[in-house]
C-alpha cells in the first residue's frame, strides 16, 4: 500500500508517491509534475569506506530517451555516457545537498534520479532536485533537510516560476535557487544582463516559494520518514590534535600558510608533516593514519582564525583586494583568436575557432527546444596547472561544469546568426591554477572573441568572492577574489559574471547550512565592484572593442537570402547541384529552411564564384541580359551552355556565329567559356540564347 501526496506548484500539480516502487532503497519517491515522472532514490552503505577523509556522495541524473518517445541513434541503440545536461543537472543537485550531510559521515551515499517520462512544460531537472531532497529526508540516512528548489524566469519584467516550454524560450533569465527553511543554499543562473537588484529580488521570490514546498515536504516526512541510523563518526584519536598544536605551535603554522606562493606554502606544510611523522613513528604509530586529516584541520583552523579574527588573508591582501591582474591578446599567430588572462597564480589561455554553421553541435536530449548549440565553450584543467603529474583522461564533471558556466556567461553578448553567420567554439586551457579558474576563463574568452573579430555586444568579466563565518549569522567576512586556500578552507565560492549592464551568470557553492539575505546581497554587490574594475582597468586597455573583421586565417562567410521555394533547385536531386558547387569552388554551403544560404571558404574568389552560381540557379533569365557559361554538350542543332550546376540553356546553331556554319564543332568545343545574351522565350515557352548577338 503506497501513499500519495499532492500540492499545487506554479499552476501545475506536484505529486509525491512513497512506497509504490524501489522499496529496497533507503528512501524512494516517485515524483510527478504535470506528466513528467522521475524516480528519485537515496541509498547508503552499511559501513563507512575505509581510508578516506571525505564524504563519498554520488549524484546521478539519468536521461532515458524513451521518456520523450525516441530511440537512441547510432548502432548500439541504448543510452551511453551521460549527456552534458545530465552531468550539469547532477552537479546542481549535489551542491545544495552535500553540505547538509554530517561532515564526519564516511558511508557511501548515492542519489539517483531516473527520468521516466517528460512533459515539455514541466522540467524533469526541477523534479529531480525536489525528488532527491524528499527521498533522502524520508530515508534513514542522516541529513539536515529538507531543501526545495525553484527555477525562476523573467518575461516582460515579471517573474515566472518553473516556466513552461514556451516561457523558457522567451525568458530573459533562468535562475535556480535551492533553500532550507531559513536560508539559501545554492544559486545557479544564466541571465541576459540582469541588474543586481532584480536578481536579488528573484532569488528571494524563489526562496519564498521554496518555503511553501518545504511545508509540503514536512507533512510527508512526518508521515513516512524513517528514524535516522547511527553511524561511525570520523574523529581524530584522543589527544592527537592537542599534541600536534603544542608541538608545531599556532605561530609556526600561521607562518607556514601566510604566503602568496602556493608552492612555498605546500613545501612548508610538507616539512611540518614530515616532522610530525618522525615524532609519531616512535611515540604514537597508531596516529599516523590520521596525520593528514589532523594537519588539514590545523591548517583550516589557522586560516579561518587569521581571516575572521585577525583580518589577515594568507597572501596579505585586504578583504576586498584583487590579486595582480594582466590581460593579453594574439598570443597565438595563426588561430582565429586568442586571449590570456592572469590573476595572481591563476592563468587561462582561451582560443577561439570560427566555422561554418554546419559545424554547430547537434543535441539529442529530452528538451525539444534544445536541439543544437551554435556556441560551444570547453574548459580543460591539466595536472601541470597545479604542479601535479597524472595522465589526462579527458574532461570530468568539474570541467563540464566550469565550461558550461563560462558558456552561460557569454551567450547573452554573442551576435545573432544573421549578424555573424558562424559557429563559434572557445577552448579555455588552464595553464596555472590557484583559485577561480572558471572566472578567469570568462575573462580570457571575452578577450579571445574580441580579438577574433566576433562582434560581441559587450565585454564580460567574472569574479569570485568567498566567505568565512564565525559562531553567529552576524560574524562573517566576505573576501573578494578568493585563491585556492581560501576556497578550500572557507565556507563559500560565489561566482558572478556579467557586463557593465548586469549579470549574465551565477554559480554559488557553499559548505555551510545556508546564507542569510545580508550575505547574499553583499556578495553580489562586491562582485559588481570587482567586475567593473576588471573590465575598465585591465581588459579595456588591451582591447576595448571587437576587431572590425575576422583575421586572415579565419574562413570567410557570405550569407545571401533566396526564395525558400528555390532551395530544391540549389540542392538538386540527391544533392547533385549543391555538391557540384562545393566540388568546383571548395567552399562549404549551409541552407536554412528560411532560405538563408551561408557560403564559407578561405578564398574570396572561390566564395564569389559560389555566390554567383547560387544566384544564377535561383534567378530567372532576363531578356537582353548577358550571361557567361561553359559549353557542356554539343548537338547537331546547337550547344548547351551551363551557367551554374543544374542551370543550362541552349544556343541554337543559327545563333552561334554571324557567318553560316555547317557544324557546331566548327566554332565551339566542350569546355569553352562563352558569353551569351538572353533572347527571351520562343514560341514553345523555352528560353533561348545567342552568342552572335552579344554586344
Amino acid at each position: 500500500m503506497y501513499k500519495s501526496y499532492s500540492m499545487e506548484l506554479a499552476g501545475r500539480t506536484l505529486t509525491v508517491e512513497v512506497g509504490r516502487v524501489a522499496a529496497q532503497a533507503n528512501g524512494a519517491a516517485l515524483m510527478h509534475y504535470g506528466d513528467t515522472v522521475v524516480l528519485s532514490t537515496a541509498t547508503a552503505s552499511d559501513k563507512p569506506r575505509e581510508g578516506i577523509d571525505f564524504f563519498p556522495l554520488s549524484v546521478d541524473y539519468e536521461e532515458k530517451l524513451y521518456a520523450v518517445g525516441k530511440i537512441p541513434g547510432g548502432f548500439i541503440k541504448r543510452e551511453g555516457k551521460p549527456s552534458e545536461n545530465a552531468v550539469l543537472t547532477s552537479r546542481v543537485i549535489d551542491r545544495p545537498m552535500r553540505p547538509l550531510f554530517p561532515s564526519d559521515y564516511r558511508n557511501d551515499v548515492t542519489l539517483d534520479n531516473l527520468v521516466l517520462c517528460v512533459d515539455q512544460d514541466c522540467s524533469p531537472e526541477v523534479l529531480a532536485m525536489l525528488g532527491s531532497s524528499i527521498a533522502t529526508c524520508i530515508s534513514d540516512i542522516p541529513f539536515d533537510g529538507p531543501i526545495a528548489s525553484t527555477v525562476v524566469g523573467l518575461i516582460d519584467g515579471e517573474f515566472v516560476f518553473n516556466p513552461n516550454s514556451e516561457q523558457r524560450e522567451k525568458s530573459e533569465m533562468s535562475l535556480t535557487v535551492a533553500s532550507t527553511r531559513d536560508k539559501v543554499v545554492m544559486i545557479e543562473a544564466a541571465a541576459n544582463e540582469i541588474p543586481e537588484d532584480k536578481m536579488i529580488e528573484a532569488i528571494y521570490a524563489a526562496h519564498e516559494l521554496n518555503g511553501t514546498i518545504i511545508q509540503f515536504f514536512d507533512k510527508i516526512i512526518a508521515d513516512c520518514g524513517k528514524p535516522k541510523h547511527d553511524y561511525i563518526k570520523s574523529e581524530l584519536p584522543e589527544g592527537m590534535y592537542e599534541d600536534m598544536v603544542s608541538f608545531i605551535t599556532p605561530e609556526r603554522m600561521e607562518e607556514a600558510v601566510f604566503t602568496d606562493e602556493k608552492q612555498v606554502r605546500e613545501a612548508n606544510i610538507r616539512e611540518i608533516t614530515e616532522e610530525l611523522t618522525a615524532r609519531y613513528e616512535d611515540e604514537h604509530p597508531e596516529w599516523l593514519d590520521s596525520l593528514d586529516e589532523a594537519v588539514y584541520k590545523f591548517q583550516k583552523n589557522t586560516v579561518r582564525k587569521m581571516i575572521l579574527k585577525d583580518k589577515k588573508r594568507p597572501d596579505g591582501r585586504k578583504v576586498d583586494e584583487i590579486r595582480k591582474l594582466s590581460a593579453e591578446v594574439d598570443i597565438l599567430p595563426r588561430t582565429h583568436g586568442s586571449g590570456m588572462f592572469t590573476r595572481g597564480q591563476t592563468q587561462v589561455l582561451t582560443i577561439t575557432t570560427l566555422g561554418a554553421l554546419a559545424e554547430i553541435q547537434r543535441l539529442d536530449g529530452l528538451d525539444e527546444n534544445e536541439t543544437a548549440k551554435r556556441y560551444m565553450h570547453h574548459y580543460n584543467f591539466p595536472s601541470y596547472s597545479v604542479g601535479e603529474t597524472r595522465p589526462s583522461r579527458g574532461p570530468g564533471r568539474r570541467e563540464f561544469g566550469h565550461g558550461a558556466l563560462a558558456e552561460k556567461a557569454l551567450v547573452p553578448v554573442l551576435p545573432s546568426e544573421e549578424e555573424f553567420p558562424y559557429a563559434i567554439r572557445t577552448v579555455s586551457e588552464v595553464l596555472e591554477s590557484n583559485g577561480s579558474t572558471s572566472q578567469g576563463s570568462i575573462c580570457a574568452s571575452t578577450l579571445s572573441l574580441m580579438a577574433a573579430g566576433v562582434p560581441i555586444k559587450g565585454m564580460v568579466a567574472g569574479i569570485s568572492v568567498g566567505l568565512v563565518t564565525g559562531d553567529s549569522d552576524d560574524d562573517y567576512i566576505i573576501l573578494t577574489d578568493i585563491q585556492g586556500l581560501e576556497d578550500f578552507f572557507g565556507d563559500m565560492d560565489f561566482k558572478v559574471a556579467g557586463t557593465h549592464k548586469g549579470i549574465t551568470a551565477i554559480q554559488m557553492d557553499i559548505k555551510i547550512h545556508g546564507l542569510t539575505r545580508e550575505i547574499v546581497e553583499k556578495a553580489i554587490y562586491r562582485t559588481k565592484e570587482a567586475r567593473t574594475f576588471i573590465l575598465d582597468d585591465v581588459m579595456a586597455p588591451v582591447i576595448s572593442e571587437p576587431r572590425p573583421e575576422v583575421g586572415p586565417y579565419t574562413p570567410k562567410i557570405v550569407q545571401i537570402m533566396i526564395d525558400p521555394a528555390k532551395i530544391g533547385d540549389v540542392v538538386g536531386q540527391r544533392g547533385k547541384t549543391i555538391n557540384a558547387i562545393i566540388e568546383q569552388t571548395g567552399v562549404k554551403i549551409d541552407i536554412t529552411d528560411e532560405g538563408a544560404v551561408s557560403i564559407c571558404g578561405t578564398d574570396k574568389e572561390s566564395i564569389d564564384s559560389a555566390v554567383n552560381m547560387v544566384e544564377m540557379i535561383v534567378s530567372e533569365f532576363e531578356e537582353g541580359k548577358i550571361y557567361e557559361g561553359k559549353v557542356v554538350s554539343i548537338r547537331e542543332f546547337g550547344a548547351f551552355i551551363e551557367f551554374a550546376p543544374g542551370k543550362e540553356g541552349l544556343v541554337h546553331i543559327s545563333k552561334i556565329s554571324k557567318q553560316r556554319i555547317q557544324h557546331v564543332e566548327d566554332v565551339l568545343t566542350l569546355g569553352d567559356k562563352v558569353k551569351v545574351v538572353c533572347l527571351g522565350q520562343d514560341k514553345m515557352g523555352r528560353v533561348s540564347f545567342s552568342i552572335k548577338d552579344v554586344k
Side-chain angles (χ1 to χ4, degrees):
M1 185 67 180
Y2 68 91
K3 296 181 179 180
S4 180
Y5 306 84
S6 296
M7 72 169 286
E8 290 303 303
L9 178 61
R12 284 146 285 173
T13 301
L14 171 67
T15 299
V16 181
E17 294 181 346
V18 179
R20 187 175 187 181
V21 295
Q24 296 190 50
N26 295 61
L30 191 62
M31 308 292 293
H32 301 256
Y33 192 36
D35 286 339
T36 294
V37 182
V38 174
L39 172 61
S40 297
T41 58
T43 52
S45 61
D46 294 331
K47 297 179 181 179
R49 195 196 301 182
E50 293 185 6
I52 61 170
D53 57 0
F54 61 91
F55 168 45
L57 172 66
S58 299
V59 179
D60 291 311
Y61 175 80
E62 299 184 64
E63 295 177 323
K64 302 296 184 181
L65 290 181
Y66 56 65
V68 289
K70 290 183 183 178
I71 294 175
F75 292 101
I76 298 175
K77 297 300 179 185
R78 71 177 297 162
E79 290 81 5
K81 66 179 183 178
S83 69
E84 187 171 327
N85 179 69
V87 170
L88 298 176
T89 303
S90 298
R91 284 172 56 85
V92 169
I93 296 170
D94 183 302
R95 298 210 314 271
M97 295 286 290
R98 186 178 291 271
L100 301 183
F101 289 93
S103 61
D104 58 353
Y105 193 51
R106 297 293 180 264
N107 298 46
D108 284 278
V109 173
T110 298
L111 306 181
D112 192 277
N113 296 278
L114 176 61
V115 181
L116 296 167
C117 185
V118 174
D119 171 354
Q120 295 296 328
D121 287 334
C122 299
S123 165
E125 292 88 352
V126 172
L127 198 56
M129 287 188 281
L130 296 175
S132 289
S133 173
I134 190 62
T136 308
C137 285
I138 63 176
S139 76
D140 61 344
I141 303 169
F143 180 69
D144 192 14
I147 64 167
S149 299
T150 295
V151 174
V152 186
L154 182 66
I155 300 174
D156 297 328
E158 299 295 326
F159 297 136
V160 180
F161 299 105
N162 295 343
N164 61 31
S165 178
E166 183 181 349
Q167 290 168 334
R168 290 196 296 270
E169 284 290 290
K170 297 177 181 177
S171 180
E172 293 288 303
M173 172 177 71
S174 178
L175 166 69
T176 303
V177 178
S179 311
T180 61
R181 293 176 211 285
D182 306 313
K183 297 178 180 179
V184 170
V185 289
M186 194 278 299
I187 302 170
E188 178 99 5
N192 189 10
E193 299 180 282
I194 301 299
E196 280 71 14
D197 291 346
K198 195 70 174 179
M199 182 63 74
I200 292 168
E201 185 184 350
I203 290 169
Y204 282 92
H207 178 59
E208 185 177 346
L209 181 55
N210 285 340
T212 304
I213 300 170
I214 287 173
Q215 290 176 6
F216 169 62
F217 283 173
D218 284 339
K219 297 174 184 176
I220 303 173
I221 296 165
D223 202 14
C224 305
K226 302 174 185 177
K228 299 302 181 183
H229 65 232
D230 293 328
Y231 64 94
I232 301 171
K233 298 180 184 296
S234 175
E235 297 176 337
L236 295 176
E238 187 176 350
M240 179 183 181
Y241 185 77
E242 292 76 12
D243 181 85
M244 176 182 62
V245 172
S246 174
F247 177 66
I248 298 298
T249 73
E251 292 76 20
R252 184 178 172 195
M253 179 58 81
E254 186 171 322
E255 236 178 75
V257 298
F258 199 89
T259 174
D260 60 353
E261 291 289 334
K262 182 180 175 183
Q263 291 87 346
V264 172
R265 181 172 60 251
E266 289 175 348
N268 292 341
I269 297 301
R270 224 172 10 250
E271 183 180 332
I272 288 173
T273 304
E274 289 169 359
E275 288 181 28
L276 289 167
T277 301
R279 175 179 175 84
Y280 295 147
E281 277 177 339
D282 295 329
E283 297 181 13
H284 293 284
E286 72 277 9
W287 287 0
L288 291 176
D289 287 343
S290 302
L291 184 56
D292 288 342
E293 189 173 351
V295 172
Y296 168 85
K297 182 178 178 180
F298 194 6
Q299 287 184 79
K300 181 176 181 178
N301 290 343
T302 302
V303 170
R304 292 176 67 85
K305 173 192 170 291
M306 286 165 55
I307 293 172
L308 192 62
K309 305 302 180 187
D310 304 334
K311 306 297 188 288
K312 292 166 62 178
R313 298 178 73 170
D315 57 5
R317 283 182 292 148
K318 299 175 183 177
V319 295
D320 61 351
E321 186 179 348
I322 304 174
R323 288 171 287 176
K324 184 180 178 182
L325 304 172
S326 67
E328 300 175 65
V329 294
D330 303 330
I331 305 296
L332 306 174
R334 282 180 173 261
T335 58
H336 301 165
S338 59
M340 189 161 73
F341 186 81
T342 306
R343 181 191 288 125
Q345 289 184 301
T346 291
Q347 186 177 64
V348 183
L349 172 65
T350 297
I351 299 92
T352 297
T353 307
L354 304 177
L357 289 173
E359 296 178 281
I360 63 174
Q361 184 179 2
R362 306 292 176 184
L363 303 176
D364 187 19
L366 302 184
D367 190 341
E368 291 179 352
N369 291 331
E370 298 289 334
T371 58
K373 191 159 65 171
R374 174 189 169 224
Y375 174 60
M376 300 150 279
H377 184 281
H378 298 143
Y379 165 103
N380 297 314
F381 190 89
S383 59
Y384 62 75
S385 68
V386 288
E388 296 176 359
T389 176
R390 64 176 180 270
S392 175
R393 294 288 185 257
R397 291 191 171 196
R398 181 178 181 276
E399 285 82 357
F400 276 117
H402 283 2
L405 178 61
E407 193 172 285
K408 287 179 185 176
L410 291 160
V411 163
V413 301
L414 294 176
S416 66
E417 285 187 18
E418 291 73 27
E419 296 171 299
F420 193 71
Y422 283 89
I424 308 168
R425 181 185 185 227
T426 51
V427 179
S428 290
E429 304 287 358
V430 177
L431 307 181
E432 189 177 1
S433 172
N434 188 14
S436 205
T437 54
S438 65
Q439 303 309 287
S441 76
I442 292 168
C443 299
S445 297
T446 298
L447 297 168
S448 180
L449 288 165
M450 294 170 72
V454 179
I456 60 174
K457 300 168 187 174
M459 290 194 297
V460 182
I463 192 73
S464 180
V465 297
L467 175 75
V468 176
T469 57
D471 296 329
S472 68
D473 287 346
D474 298 328
D475 187 16
Y476 66 87
I477 282 185
I478 293 175
L479 305 172
T480 299
D481 179 28
I482 55 173
Q483 60 170 308
L485 191 71
E486 294 165 333
D487 182 10
F488 200 48
F489 295 135
D491 297 319
M492 176 182 79
D493 184 4
F494 202 134
K495 310 178 185 82
V496 182
T499 64
H500 281 300
K501 291 182 180 179
I503 294 169
T504 58
I506 297 178
Q507 187 177 95
M508 184 193 83
D509 301 321
I510 63 171
K511 301 171 187 173
I512 54 178
H513 285 206
L515 303 179
T516 63
R517 179 163 185 157
E518 181 181 278
I519 292 174
V520 171
E521 290 185 356
K522 285 186 177 180
I524 287 177
Y525 289 125
R526 182 77 68 83
T527 62
K528 179 174 175 57
E529 294 172 9
R531 184 172 81 237
T532 301
F533 171 76
I534 294 168
L535 289 170
D536 292 343
D537 291 28
V538 181
M539 295 170 65
V542 174
I543 182 167
S544 58
E545 59 185 26
R547 298 232 165 97
E549 56 185 32
V550 298
Y553 301 104
T554 304
K556 310 303 184 289
I557 295 180
V558 174
Q559 191 174 75
I560 60 174
M561 295 299 298
I562 65 172
D563 182 349
K566 298 280 189 179
I567 293 175
D569 296 338
V570 177
V571 174
Q573 187 176 16
R574 297 181 180 177
K576 181 179 178 181
T577 302
I578 196 169
N579 287 333
I581 299 174
I582 293 169
E583 185 177 342
Q584 290 179 33
T585 61
V587 300
K588 295 180 180 178
I589 301 177
D590 301 308
I591 307 177
T592 68
D593 293 340
E594 292 74 31
V597 181
S598 297
I599 299 170
C600 174
T602 55
D603 178 63
K604 184 178 184 301
E605 187 176 331
S606 297
I607 295 173
D608 290 344
S609 176
V611 169
N612 290 337
M613 290 181 185
V614 172
E615 290 179 338
M616 176 62 69
I617 290 169
V618 300
S619 65
E620 301 294 336
F621 288 118
E622 298 178 23
E623 184 175 350
K625 188 172 180 179
I626 295 174
Y627 300 92
E628 186 173 4
K630 182 173 67 173
V631 178
V632 292
S633 179
I634 294 176
R635 299 287 188 269
E636 291 182 4
F637 51 83
F640 285 94
I641 312 299
E642 182 185 66
F643 304 100
K647 188 87 168 184
E648 297 180 358
L650 174 67
V651 178
H652 192 268
I653 190 170
S654 63
K655 300 295 183 181
I656 293 176
S657 174
K658 293 183 179 180
Q659 288 78 35
R660 180 179 176 83
I661 60 174
Q662 294 294 323
H663 304 287
V664 175
E665 293 90 336
D666 293 342
V667 177
L668 299 175
T669 57
L670 291 175
D672 284 351
K673 289 187 177 180
V674 295
K675 288 185 177 181
V676 299
V677 61
C678 180
L679 301 177
Q681 294 183 342
D682 59 19
K683 294 178 181 179
M684 299 181 66
R686 297 173 300 191
V687 179
S688 60
F689 299 88
S690 171
I691 295 176
K692 73 177 185 179
D693 294 314
V694 174
K695 296 178 181 178

